[in-house]
Structure formats: structure tokens, C-alpha cells
Amino acid sequence: MLNGTHDNALVILSIIVATVASYTALDLAARTHAATNRTWSRVWLSAASIAMGGGIWSMHFVAMLAHTMPGMDASYDPGLTLLSFALAVGVTGLAFAIVSRSSAILPLLASGLLMGLGIVGMHYTGMAAMRMPVRISYDAAWVILSIATAIVAAIAALWLAFRMRSGRFRIGAAIIMGFAISGMHYSGMAAAQFISVPETDHIHHATDVGQTNLALIVSAITLFILFLAILASMFDRRFADLAEREAAALRRSEELFRTLYRRTPLPLHALDIDGRIQDVSDAWTDLLGYRREEVIGRPLVSFMSESSAARRLSTDWPELMATGGPIAREYEMRTQAGQILSVVSTSRVAPELDSQSYRVIGGLIDLTGRREAEKALVQAQKMEAIGQLTGGVAHDFNNLLAVILGNLELLRKHVPADERTERLVSNAHEAARRGASLTQRMLSFARKQDMRLEVVDTFALIEGMMDLLKGSIGPQTPLQAMARTDQPHALVDPHQLELAILNLVVNARDAMPGGGSISITVSRNEDLTLEGQGAKPFVVIDVTDTGTGMDEETMARAREPFFTTKGVGKGTGLGLSMVHGFAEQSGGQFVLSSRVGVGTSASIYLPASRPAVSEGPLAKPAALHDEGALRILAVDDDALVLMSTVDMLTELGHDVTSASNGKEALSLLESDAPFDILITDQAMPGMTGVELSRQALANVPELCVIIATGYGELSDSPERAALLTKPFDEARLSQAIAACRQADPAD
């Protein structure tokens, strides 16, 4: 039996080859997890298999070349050598493929056993490929040890290949595996026993090549291939890291964009090409009252009214798809609570990043508040226009009534005093007074009636009216009044307040055709803020009924003049409009609240005041006959009114001169004959009554001035000018003259 020796340098070289091959295989196997698709995963798995199998074979071949026998040169059979290489690569690739599919312990052990036996087979096939004049036998114990070493090393290699992530641990594992694989080979070599045979038995099947040179060539080629594999893995890892960083940056950018998109204060939405919602902003969900998960995937038109959805599907959506937008259309959208919103939806078609598909992006603008404000403005303008028209009509009608009432007074004095004539004159006079009451209601709506404000105990006034109110509504309707404050005093015109309360009570009765009850409540709010006013105390008078109530449409028109729900001939439609005008002219407010089938509450807010201090009875105006005839200048642009006024003044025994305009009146005032009183109309072309009175008082300071007007408030009139409300009769005209003369400081 012959004893061989090993070249230490080649032994070390074989261990290095085994270690580098192990590291390369571990590194390449790790790339299978980072592969972007299955094809690249298979490529890296195949490369790892070749690196491991080829590296083991190369280590084995170099280790074989490191063994020398004294006086003998070895050669190798090419066929068996290639078979051993194929066997190493094949079983390694098969084992890697099995483990890559399942990480369970049983497939790992089975593939490790297969790979270990394959490596052992590769080793002994390579031993068989060696051609020397010797016969080789094997020690069973060493063979078993080499087989066990191969199987354990194979299992460790497979386990580490798909679990090792850190480069530092990969190097350590590669060194251990390199020594284990080398240990398997040298255990197998230790099992071999070489027995010399005659030289004739040695048949050369291949050309002899120097063992050392061959080992160096194989090692160099192997290490170069492994280096290229490691280099490829490094570049792939580098590119993968760059791609991962780019992907992470893209994910962060997408998340940032999604966050900004969702948190933008605008109601935005993104739709797919079928009009289904892909994403919405928080403002969008807040506007419609839905949660995001409740709207994703639903068609946008499912949140629209039927008419809006039909128009978008039939007209707007095809136009958007054809033109790409942007297009803006107004729709009605329904919130989760059922409220209908008026919105403008602006949409455009935007391509996706792949430029092969498209989405629709858009936003909503809520116009509900604007539309309501526009309606309120139109209503306010409408009411203002009606007020101006009503005030103008009432003024002209007052002039006609002034003529009628004046002439009726004169007619009553000059016609024969028989019963029939007196009845006819009285009927005409009463009709004219009713017309005057109607004009006062119209002027109240227009906020231009004469207001005589004073401190009034509102509850005492209501209690004093109870008999009148109960008589007006009949005994079948219960009526009660209560006070919830001990300070019910308000600054108001008591006569206008009485008229307002009477109107509200009668309206409440008419709203209860099936019967019911009416209550009047007086309360006080110490710190109430009304529109356009600061916080201050108000007295609140509530008239509440248990009638049929009003719907929203009726409520919206209830304050309009001449609007009534009563039958023909049963109402003028001026009751609530008069109360509304009276409340606002008094510095307060009129508020209606109603529920269908429950009833209506009408509330008058009036400025609160402290109780008035009694100043004693007013002095009685001096009678006409105490002063005698006065020289009076009467001015009016309406010839009929002027004629009637002159006739009444003449009937009272005064010396009257008339003028049709302010300029003519000033000329008459400059004449030598002085006038005692100037009675002028307010609304005249060219020069108003206020302007005329100012110039007249400047020229004649001792002059007594009376301004006749259908409008109760003349804020710019001179302090010394008295007001006479149209229409007036002879008695009121006489009282105005007496009061003016008594207040005149020139007397």
C-alpha cells in the first residue's frame, strides 16, 4: 500500500475555492427574494446552484491535484470528469429548487440528503476518473464519515442560502461551509487506500498535464467565474437598493399627495372612466355628510337628484369624454341627511401615469348659501319695491281722501238737515274714513305712517283691549293674556300697537276653522340682538294659536301686502304686512313661526323702556274764537287738495291765500301783508314742504308753520314746524292751527 502526500499550497487553495463558492452561492440565493419577477428569481437560483455545485467540484478537483504519489503522475478521464461536474451542479440545482418552493423542515432534510449524496457521488466519480498505476480501495469508516459530512454541509448550505440576510453573517457561514466541504473531500481521500499495480495496467486515456499547473488553471477559472457572479450580485443589489429607494420615495410622494389631496379645504373627487368614485377629499365628505368608505366605488350621480343625474349621464358626461374638459355644470346634490345642495361641479379628463388609461378629476363649489342669499336679496328688493309702490299709492290716495272728507264736511253744513241727506253724507264720510284706515295700513307696511311714540305698559294695554278682542273673535274661541315680566313697558305708538294686536288676534281666529284657543304672552328679553342693531332690552308680545299652521311657501309670502289665504272678500292681505312695517318702524322686529297641524306664533319685538313719569294733563289748545281770523297761506301742488283746504279754512273764518308751489309761496311771503300761518304740503315738485318751511322761517321767524303729509316721519323738518297727517277734516285742521299758535314763541 502506497502513501501519498498533499501539496499544502493547493490544499489551502482548495479551501479558498470552497469558501468563495459557498459565499457566492449564499449571496446569489439571497437575490431570489429581491427579484422583481419569477423569471429573475429562477435566474438567480440557477446561478446560485451553479456557483455552489461548480465551486464544490472545482474544490474537489484542485484537492485531487494536490495529492501526489511518489514516482507517479496522475491523469484524468475527461468523460468521468465532466460527469462529476454535471453531477455536482445538477444535484445542487435540484436541491435549491426544492428548498426555494418550501421552507418546511421535511423538504429541507430531503433536499439536503439528495445534495449530500450527490456531492459524495461527485467525489467518488472524480476519484474514478483519476488514472494512476494503482488500485484504490476505501476504508468504510472514513467513507461513512465523508458521506455524513457531505449531507450535514449540504443541509447547512441550503438552510443558510434562503435565510441569511446580513453580509457579515454570510461571510462567517461561507468560511464554515468552506471548511466543511473541504473536510468532506479530505475525509474521502483519507478513506482511499492506494495499492501499486504493474505498469502495464496503467492505460493513458488522456494527455498528461502538470498537476500543479492544472490546479492553478482550474482555480483561476473558478475564482474568476465566482468573482463575476459576485460582481453581478453586487450590481443587482445596488440597482435593487436604488429601485427600492425610488419606490419608497414614490410611496412617500404618493402618500403626501394623498394626504394633501384629502386634507385640502376644497371638495375634490377622482372618478374612474365609468364615473365611479376612486377618492374624495375630507371637505367633500364633510359637505355631503358621508364617510369615505361609504362613497368609494359608488357612481357620482348616485348622490345627485334625479334630474341632475339624468342630465349628467345623457349630456354632460358624453361631452366631457369627447372634449376632455374642463367643463363646469350646476347640479343638485343630496346630503346624507336629505338636504338638497346647489353645487357647481367642474370636471376634466386626466391620463394616468401609464398614459394608457384615464381618470376624471373634479371639484364641487357649494352655491347653496349664495342661492339663498340671492333669493333673500330678490325678496328684499321685491318687498322694497312693493313698499315704495304702496307708499306712493297711499300718498296719492290720501290726497283724494282729503278732498272727499273736506268736501263732505262742508256739504254736511250747507245741505238741508233732513234724515235721508244726513244718512247719505254719513255713509260717504264713513267710507272715506275706512279708506283712510286702509291707507294707514299701506303706509305702515311701507314704514311711512305717522308714529307717535310714547312709553306704554303693553300688558295693561292688552288687558284694556280684552273686551274688544273677545267681541271681535266671538265667544266660541277662548282667549287669554298673561305677563311673564313685571316690566312690560315699551316705547311705541299705542294706537298702532292696538291695531297690530287686533289684526294678529283676528288672523289667529281665522286660522282655526275647526276651533282652538288663542293666547297672548308678554315677556321681556334683557339682552337681545336683532339684525342691524346692538344688544339691548326688548319687550316681546307673542300671539299664539292652535290652528292649522302654515307651510314653508305660505310662510315665505305671509308678510307680502295683499297676500291672503282667505276667500274672496274676506281679507285685504294687509294685516301681517302692516304689523311687520309697524314693528320695524318702531325699532323692533316681527317674527313668524309655524308648524302645519300645530299652530302659529306671531311675535312682536318692541324696544323696552322704563315706566313714564306723569307730567300732568296737557294744556287745552286755545279756541279759534279766542284769537279771531288769521291770515293763512295754503300751499299744495294738487289743485283739488288745495281747493278743499282753502274751503275748510274759509269755513273756519280765516283769511286764506293759496299757492301751487314753493317758489310762489315765498314770493307771497315777501309781500307787505304778513301771514300768521303757513300750511304746506310736503311732497311737491321743485321744493318740498320742509325746504319751503326752512326758507320761510329764515325770512319770517315769527311765522307759524304746519306741514301736511301722508308720511308720519319727517326727520329733517324744522323744530317749530307742526305735522298734520293726511287725510284731515275740518276739526283736525282747526286743532292743528290752535296747537301751532299756542306753541309759537312769537305769541
PDB file of all heavy atoms in Angstrom, residues 1-31:
ATOM      1  N   MET A   1       0.852  -1.198   0.000  1.00  0.00           N
ATOM      2  CA  MET A   1       0.000   0.000   0.000  1.00  0.00           C
ATOM      3  C   MET A   1       0.881   1.238   0.000  1.00  0.00           C
ATOM      4  O   MET A   1       1.867   1.316   0.738  1.00  0.00           O
ATOM      5  CB  MET A   1      -0.901   0.000   1.235  1.00  0.00           C
ATOM      6  CG  MET A   1      -1.902   1.117   1.228  1.00  0.00           C
ATOM      7  SD  MET A   1      -3.036   1.014   2.638  1.00  0.00           S
ATOM      8  CE  MET A   1      -1.902   1.324   3.970  1.00  0.00           C
ATOM      9  N   LEU A   2       0.530   2.198  -0.876  1.00  0.00           N
ATOM     10  CA  LEU A   2       1.334   3.391  -1.043  1.00  0.00           C
ATOM     11  C   LEU A   2       0.735   4.543  -0.232  1.00  0.00           C
ATOM     12  O   LEU A   2      -0.480   4.667  -0.091  1.00  0.00           O
ATOM     13  CB  LEU A   2       1.388   3.789  -2.520  1.00  0.00           C
ATOM     14  CG  LEU A   2       1.966   2.726  -3.481  1.00  0.00           C
ATOM     15  CD1 LEU A   2       1.858   3.198  -4.912  1.00  0.00           C
ATOM     16  CD2 LEU A   2       3.435   2.434  -3.114  1.00  0.00           C
ATOM     17  N   ASN A   3       1.629   5.381   0.253  1.00  0.00           N
ATOM     18  CA  ASN A   3       1.182   6.573   0.986  1.00  0.00           C
ATOM     19  C   ASN A   3       1.489   7.814   0.148  1.00  0.00           C
ATOM     20  O   ASN A   3       2.621   8.008  -0.276  1.00  0.00           O
ATOM     21  CB  ASN A   3       1.891   6.671   2.330  1.00  0.00           C
ATOM     22  CG  ASN A   3       1.493   5.528   3.269  1.00  0.00           C
ATOM     23  OD1 ASN A   3       0.332   5.140   3.302  1.00  0.00           O
ATOM     24  ND2 ASN A   3       2.464   4.987   3.987  1.00  0.00           N
ATOM     25  N   GLY A   4       0.463   8.620  -0.108  1.00  0.00           N
ATOM     26  CA  GLY A   4       0.623   9.843  -0.878  1.00  0.00           C
ATOM     27  C   GLY A   4       0.826  11.046   0.032  1.00  0.00           C
ATOM     28  O   GLY A   4       0.656  10.975   1.250  1.00  0.00           O
ATOM     29  N   THR A   5       1.158  12.162  -0.620  1.00  0.00           N
ATOM     30  CA  THR A   5       1.332  13.422   0.114  1.00  0.00           C
ATOM     31  C   THR A   5       0.471  14.504  -0.546  1.00  0.00           C
ATOM     32  O   THR A   5       0.008  14.350  -1.684  1.00  0.00           O
ATOM     33  CB  THR A   5       2.798  13.854   0.104  1.00  0.00           C
ATOM     34  OG1 THR A   5       3.212  14.039  -1.267  1.00  0.00           O
ATOM     35  CG2 THR A   5       3.692  12.826   0.792  1.00  0.00           C
ATOM     36  N   HIS A   6       0.240  15.588   0.206  1.00  0.00           N
ATOM     37  CA  HIS A   6      -0.563  16.703  -0.309  1.00  0.00           C
ATOM     38  C   HIS A   6       0.297  17.957  -0.410  1.00  0.00           C
ATOM     39  O   HIS A   6       1.126  18.219   0.472  1.00  0.00           O
ATOM     40  CB  HIS A   6      -1.753  16.999   0.604  1.00  0.00           C
ATOM     41  CG  HIS A   6      -2.855  15.977   0.500  1.00  0.00           C
ATOM     42  ND1 HIS A   6      -2.845  14.782   1.209  1.00  0.00           N
ATOM     43  CD2 HIS A   6      -4.000  15.977  -0.259  1.00  0.00           C
ATOM     44  CE1 HIS A   6      -3.928  14.098   0.927  1.00  0.00           C
ATOM     45  NE2 HIS A   6      -4.657  14.806   0.020  1.00  0.00           N
ATOM     46  N   ASP A   7       0.072  18.688  -1.493  1.00  0.00           N
ATOM     47  CA  ASP A   7       0.707  19.991  -1.660  1.00  0.00           C
ATOM     48  C   ASP A   7      -0.072  20.992  -0.800  1.00  0.00           C
ATOM     49  O   ASP A   7      -1.256  21.269  -1.050  1.00  0.00           O
ATOM     50  CB  ASP A   7       0.665  20.402  -3.127  1.00  0.00           C
ATOM     51  CG  ASP A   7       1.459  21.679  -3.395  1.00  0.00           C
ATOM     52  OD1 ASP A   7       1.522  22.544  -2.484  1.00  0.00           O
ATOM     53  OD2 ASP A   7       1.948  21.836  -4.533  1.00  0.00           O
ATOM     54  N   ASN A   8       0.589  21.509   0.241  1.00  0.00           N
ATOM     55  CA  ASN A   8      -0.111  22.385   1.186  1.00  0.00           C
ATOM     56  C   ASN A   8      -0.695  23.630   0.510  1.00  0.00           C
ATOM     57  O   ASN A   8      -1.783  24.105   0.868  1.00  0.00           O
ATOM     58  CB  ASN A   8       0.832  22.804   2.304  1.00  0.00           C
ATOM     59  CG  ASN A   8       1.204  21.626   3.199  1.00  0.00           C
ATOM     60  OD1 ASN A   8       0.427  20.672   3.327  1.00  0.00           O
ATOM     61  ND2 ASN A   8       2.385  21.673   3.798  1.00  0.00           N
ATOM     62  N   ALA A   9       0.021  24.175  -0.427  1.00  0.00           N
ATOM     63  CA  ALA A   9      -0.471  25.373  -1.114  1.00  0.00           C
ATOM     64  C   ALA A   9      -1.768  25.081  -1.861  1.00  0.00           C
ATOM     65  O   ALA A   9      -2.738  25.869  -1.832  1.00  0.00           O
ATOM     66  CB  ALA A   9       0.584  25.907  -2.071  1.00  0.00           C
ATOM     67  N   LEU A  10      -1.808  23.919  -2.540  1.00  0.00           N
ATOM     68  CA  LEU A  10      -3.029  23.568  -3.266  1.00  0.00           C
ATOM     69  C   LEU A  10      -4.163  23.215  -2.309  1.00  0.00           C
ATOM     70  O   LEU A  10      -5.344  23.448  -2.620  1.00  0.00           O
ATOM     71  CB  LEU A  10      -2.751  22.404  -4.218  1.00  0.00           C
ATOM     72  CG  LEU A  10      -1.786  22.719  -5.376  1.00  0.00           C
ATOM     73  CD1 LEU A  10      -1.623  21.499  -6.279  1.00  0.00           C
ATOM     74  CD2 LEU A  10      -2.296  23.909  -6.191  1.00  0.00           C
ATOM     75  N   VAL A  11      -3.834  22.652  -1.141  1.00  0.00           N
ATOM     76  CA  VAL A  11      -4.866  22.363  -0.141  1.00  0.00           C
ATOM     77  C   VAL A  11      -5.532  23.668   0.313  1.00  0.00           C
ATOM     78  O   VAL A  11      -6.751  23.789   0.385  1.00  0.00           O
ATOM     79  CB  VAL A  11      -4.277  21.613   1.061  1.00  0.00           C
ATOM     80  CG1 VAL A  11      -5.306  21.534   2.197  1.00  0.00           C
ATOM     81  CG2 VAL A  11      -3.863  20.209   0.645  1.00  0.00           C
ATOM     82  N   ILE A  12      -4.671  24.639   0.619  1.00  0.00           N
ATOM     83  CA  ILE A  12      -5.214  25.937   1.028  1.00  0.00           C
ATOM     84  C   ILE A  12      -6.044  26.554  -0.095  1.00  0.00           C
ATOM     85  O   ILE A  12      -7.123  27.129   0.124  1.00  0.00           O
ATOM     86  CB  ILE A  12      -4.078  26.875   1.455  1.00  0.00           C
ATOM     87  CG1 ILE A  12      -3.389  26.333   2.718  1.00  0.00           C
ATOM     88  CG2 ILE A  12      -4.592  28.287   1.693  1.00  0.00           C
ATOM     89  CD1 ILE A  12      -2.138  27.092   3.112  1.00  0.00           C
ATOM     90  N   LEU A  13      -5.546  26.406  -1.326  1.00  0.00           N
ATOM     91  CA  LEU A  13      -6.266  26.942  -2.471  1.00  0.00           C
ATOM     92  C   LEU A  13      -7.626  26.271  -2.616  1.00  0.00           C
ATOM     93  O   LEU A  13      -8.635  26.926  -2.922  1.00  0.00           O
ATOM     94  CB  LEU A  13      -5.434  26.748  -3.746  1.00  0.00           C
ATOM     95  CG  LEU A  13      -6.050  27.308  -5.045  1.00  0.00           C
ATOM     96  CD1 LEU A  13      -6.262  28.804  -4.925  1.00  0.00           C
ATOM     97  CD2 LEU A  13      -5.157  26.979  -6.245  1.00  0.00           C
ATOM     98  N   SER A  14      -7.708  24.979  -2.356  1.00  0.00           N
ATOM     99  CA  SER A  14      -8.993  24.272  -2.466  1.00  0.00           C
ATOM    100  C   SER A  14      -9.978  24.761  -1.410  1.00  0.00           C
ATOM    101  O   SER A  14     -11.178  24.901  -1.677  1.00  0.00           O
ATOM    102  CB  SER A  14      -8.767  22.764  -2.326  1.00  0.00           C
ATOM    103  OG  SER A  14      -8.347  22.436  -0.996  1.00  0.00           O
ATOM    104  N   ILE A  15      -9.451  25.015  -0.205  1.00  0.00           N
ATOM    105  CA  ILE A  15     -10.345  25.526   0.857  1.00  0.00           C
ATOM    106  C   ILE A  15     -10.857  26.918   0.484  1.00  0.00           C
ATOM    107  O   ILE A  15     -12.027  27.255   0.692  1.00  0.00           O
ATOM    108  CB  ILE A  15      -9.601  25.550   2.199  1.00  0.00           C
ATOM    109  CG1 ILE A  15      -9.243  24.117   2.635  1.00  0.00           C
ATOM    110  CG2 ILE A  15     -10.449  26.229   3.268  1.00  0.00           C
ATOM    111  CD1 ILE A  15      -8.385  24.063   3.874  1.00  0.00           C
ATOM    112  N   ILE A  16      -9.955  27.755  -0.079  1.00  0.00           N
ATOM    113  CA  ILE A  16     -10.371  29.097  -0.513  1.00  0.00           C
ATOM    114  C   ILE A  16     -11.453  29.001  -1.576  1.00  0.00           C
ATOM    115  O   ILE A  16     -12.457  29.734  -1.543  1.00  0.00           O
ATOM    116  CB  ILE A  16      -9.157  29.891  -1.027  1.00  0.00           C
ATOM    117  CG1 ILE A  16      -8.188  30.193   0.132  1.00  0.00           C
ATOM    118  CG2 ILE A  16      -9.601  31.184  -1.705  1.00  0.00           C
ATOM    119  CD1 ILE A  16      -6.895  30.840  -0.309  1.00  0.00           C
ATOM    120  N   VAL A  17     -11.257  28.080  -2.530  1.00  0.00           N
ATOM    121  CA  VAL A  17     -12.264  27.908  -3.584  1.00  0.00           C
ATOM    122  C   VAL A  17     -13.599  27.495  -2.979  1.00  0.00           C
ATOM    123  O   VAL A  17     -14.663  28.010  -3.346  1.00  0.00           O
ATOM    124  CB  VAL A  17     -11.779  26.885  -4.621  1.00  0.00           C
ATOM    125  CG1 VAL A  17     -12.918  26.514  -5.583  1.00  0.00           C
ATOM    126  CG2 VAL A  17     -10.597  27.437  -5.405  1.00  0.00           C
ATOM    127  N   ALA A  18     -13.576  26.563  -2.014  1.00  0.00           N
ATOM    128  CA  ALA A  18     -14.816  26.110  -1.381  1.00  0.00           C
ATOM    129  C   ALA A  18     -15.495  27.254  -0.618  1.00  0.00           C
ATOM    130  O   ALA A  18     -16.723  27.416  -0.666  1.00  0.00           O
ATOM    131  CB  ALA A  18     -14.535  24.945  -0.442  1.00  0.00           C
ATOM    132  N   THR A  19     -14.684  28.058   0.065  1.00  0.00           N
ATOM    133  CA  THR A  19     -15.246  29.166   0.839  1.00  0.00           C
ATOM    134  C   THR A  19     -15.853  30.223  -0.081  1.00  0.00           C
ATOM    135  O   THR A  19     -16.972  30.717   0.152  1.00  0.00           O
ATOM    136  CB  THR A  19     -14.157  29.795   1.709  1.00  0.00           C
ATOM    137  OG1 THR A  19     -13.618  28.791   2.586  1.00  0.00           O
ATOM    138  CG2 THR A  19     -14.719  30.934   2.541  1.00  0.00           C
ATOM    139  N   VAL A  20     -15.119  30.606  -1.121  1.00  0.00           N
ATOM    140  CA  VAL A  20     -15.629  31.614  -2.061  1.00  0.00           C
ATOM    141  C   VAL A  20     -16.880  31.110  -2.768  1.00  0.00           C
ATOM    142  O   VAL A  20     -17.852  31.857  -2.969  1.00  0.00           O
ATOM    143  CB  VAL A  20     -14.534  32.004  -3.068  1.00  0.00           C
ATOM    144  CG1 VAL A  20     -15.098  32.931  -4.139  1.00  0.00           C
ATOM    145  CG2 VAL A  20     -13.370  32.671  -2.365  1.00  0.00           C
ATOM    146  N   ALA A  21     -16.868  29.824  -3.132  1.00  0.00           N
ATOM    147  CA  ALA A  21     -18.046  29.257  -3.788  1.00  0.00           C
ATOM    148  C   ALA A  21     -19.253  29.281  -2.856  1.00  0.00           C
ATOM    149  O   ALA A  21     -20.378  29.593  -3.270  1.00  0.00           O
ATOM    150  CB  ALA A  21     -17.754  27.827  -4.241  1.00  0.00           C
ATOM    151  N   SER A  22     -19.019  28.971  -1.585  1.00  0.00           N
ATOM    152  CA  SER A  22     -20.118  28.998  -0.618  1.00  0.00           C
ATOM    153  C   SER A  22     -20.671  30.419  -0.456  1.00  0.00           C
ATOM    154  O   SER A  22     -21.898  30.630  -0.430  1.00  0.00           O
ATOM    155  CB  SER A  22     -19.640  28.467   0.735  1.00  0.00           C
ATOM    156  OG  SER A  22     -19.209  27.123   0.624  1.00  0.00           O
ATOM    157  N   TYR A  23     -19.757  31.391  -0.326  1.00  0.00           N
ATOM    158  CA  TYR A  23     -20.214  32.778  -0.173  1.00  0.00           C
ATOM    159  C   TYR A  23     -20.996  33.232  -1.406  1.00  0.00           C
ATOM    160  O   TYR A  23     -22.053  33.871  -1.295  1.00  0.00           O
ATOM    161  CB  TYR A  23     -19.028  33.714   0.048  1.00  0.00           C
ATOM    162  CG  TYR A  23     -19.443  35.166   0.141  1.00  0.00           C
ATOM    163  CD1 TYR A  23     -19.907  35.694   1.336  1.00  0.00           C
ATOM    164  CD2 TYR A  23     -19.392  35.999  -0.981  1.00  0.00           C
ATOM    165  CE1 TYR A  23     -20.307  37.016   1.424  1.00  0.00           C
ATOM    166  CE2 TYR A  23     -19.795  37.328  -0.907  1.00  0.00           C
ATOM    167  CZ  TYR A  23     -20.248  37.832   0.302  1.00  0.00           C
ATOM    168  OH  TYR A  23     -20.645  39.137   0.386  1.00  0.00           O
ATOM    169  N   THR A  24     -20.472  32.893  -2.589  1.00  0.00           N
ATOM    170  CA  THR A  24     -21.152  33.303  -3.822  1.00  0.00           C
ATOM    171  C   THR A  24     -22.531  32.683  -3.917  1.00  0.00           C
ATOM    172  O   THR A  24     -23.518  33.351  -4.274  1.00  0.00           O
ATOM    173  CB  THR A  24     -20.314  32.906  -5.044  1.00  0.00           C
ATOM    174  OG1 THR A  24     -19.005  33.468  -4.933  1.00  0.00           O
ATOM    175  CG2 THR A  24     -20.964  33.401  -6.326  1.00  0.00           C
ATOM    176  N   ALA A  25     -22.618  31.390  -3.562  1.00  0.00           N
ATOM    177  CA  ALA A  25     -23.910  30.711  -3.631  1.00  0.00           C
ATOM    178  C   ALA A  25     -24.906  31.341  -2.645  1.00  0.00           C
ATOM    179  O   ALA A  25     -26.081  31.555  -2.974  1.00  0.00           O
ATOM    180  CB  ALA A  25     -23.746  29.223  -3.336  1.00  0.00           C
ATOM    181  N   LEU A  26     -24.437  31.642  -1.440  1.00  0.00           N
ATOM    182  CA  LEU A  26     -25.317  32.275  -0.457  1.00  0.00           C
ATOM    183  C   LEU A  26     -25.764  33.658  -0.925  1.00  0.00           C
ATOM    184  O   LEU A  26     -26.929  34.044  -0.760  1.00  0.00           O
ATOM    185  CB  LEU A  26     -24.603  32.386   0.895  1.00  0.00           C
ATOM    186  CG  LEU A  26     -24.277  31.056   1.596  1.00  0.00           C
ATOM    187  CD1 LEU A  26     -23.490  31.335   2.875  1.00  0.00           C
ATOM    188  CD2 LEU A  26     -25.549  30.294   1.927  1.00  0.00           C
ATOM    189  N   ASP A  27     -24.825  34.402  -1.511  1.00  0.00           N
ATOM    190  CA  ASP A  27     -25.161  35.753  -1.963  1.00  0.00           C
ATOM    191  C   ASP A  27     -26.151  35.721  -3.123  1.00  0.00           C
ATOM    192  O   ASP A  27     -27.110  36.501  -3.168  1.00  0.00           O
ATOM    193  CB  ASP A  27     -23.882  36.478  -2.378  1.00  0.00           C
ATOM    194  CG  ASP A  27     -24.119  37.959  -2.613  1.00  0.00           C
ATOM    195  OD1 ASP A  27     -24.519  38.646  -1.657  1.00  0.00           O
ATOM    196  OD2 ASP A  27     -23.924  38.420  -3.748  1.00  0.00           O
ATOM    197  N   LEU A  28     -25.917  34.812  -4.078  1.00  0.00           N
ATOM    198  CA  LEU A  28     -26.824  34.722  -5.229  1.00  0.00           C
ATOM    199  C   LEU A  28     -28.197  34.203  -4.812  1.00  0.00           C
ATOM    200  O   LEU A  28     -29.225  34.653  -5.336  1.00  0.00           O
ATOM    201  CB  LEU A  28     -26.218  33.817  -6.298  1.00  0.00           C
ATOM    202  CG  LEU A  28     -24.922  34.331  -6.950  1.00  0.00           C
ATOM    203  CD1 LEU A  28     -24.391  33.298  -7.933  1.00  0.00           C
ATOM    204  CD2 LEU A  28     -25.161  35.653  -7.664  1.00  0.00           C
ATOM    205  N   ALA A  29     -28.232  33.256  -3.869  1.00  0.00           N
ATOM    206  CA  ALA A  29     -29.522  32.736  -3.415  1.00  0.00           C
ATOM    207  C   ALA A  29     -30.334  33.821  -2.722  1.00  0.00           C
ATOM    208  O   ALA A  29     -31.573  33.849  -2.810  1.00  0.00           O
ATOM    209  CB  ALA A  29     -29.303  31.555  -2.473  1.00  0.00           C
ATOM    210  N   ALA A  30     -29.642  34.730  -2.038  1.00  0.00           N
ATOM    211  CA  ALA A  30     -30.349  35.821  -1.362  1.00  0.00           C
ATOM    212  C   ALA A  30     -31.031  36.758  -2.351  1.00  0.00           C
ATOM    213  O   ALA A  30     -32.006  37.435  -2.005  1.00  0.00           O
ATOM    214  CB  ALA A  30     -29.380  36.604  -0.485  1.00  0.00           C
ATOM    215  N   ARG A  31     -30.517  36.809  -3.590  1.00  0.00           N
ATOM    216  CA  ARG A  31     -31.119  37.698  -4.580  1.00  0.00           C
ATOM    217  C   ARG A  31     -32.471  37.196  -5.080  1.00  0.00           C
ATOM    218  O   ARG A  31     -33.228  37.957  -5.687  1.00  0.00           O
ATOM    219  CB  ARG A  31     -30.188  37.865  -5.807  1.00  0.00           C
ATOM    220  CG  ARG A  31     -28.828  38.427  -5.504  1.00  0.00           C
ATOM    221  CD  ARG A  31     -28.872  39.685  -4.684  1.00  0.00           C
ATOM    222  NE  ARG A  31     -29.685  40.719  -5.301  1.00  0.00           N
ATOM    223  CZ  ARG A  31     -30.366  41.629  -4.629  1.00  0.00           C
ATOM    224  NH1 ARG A  31     -30.332  41.629  -3.306  1.00  0.00           N
ATOM    225  NH2 ARG A  31     -31.088  42.541  -5.260  1.00  0.00           N
TER     226      ARG A  31
END
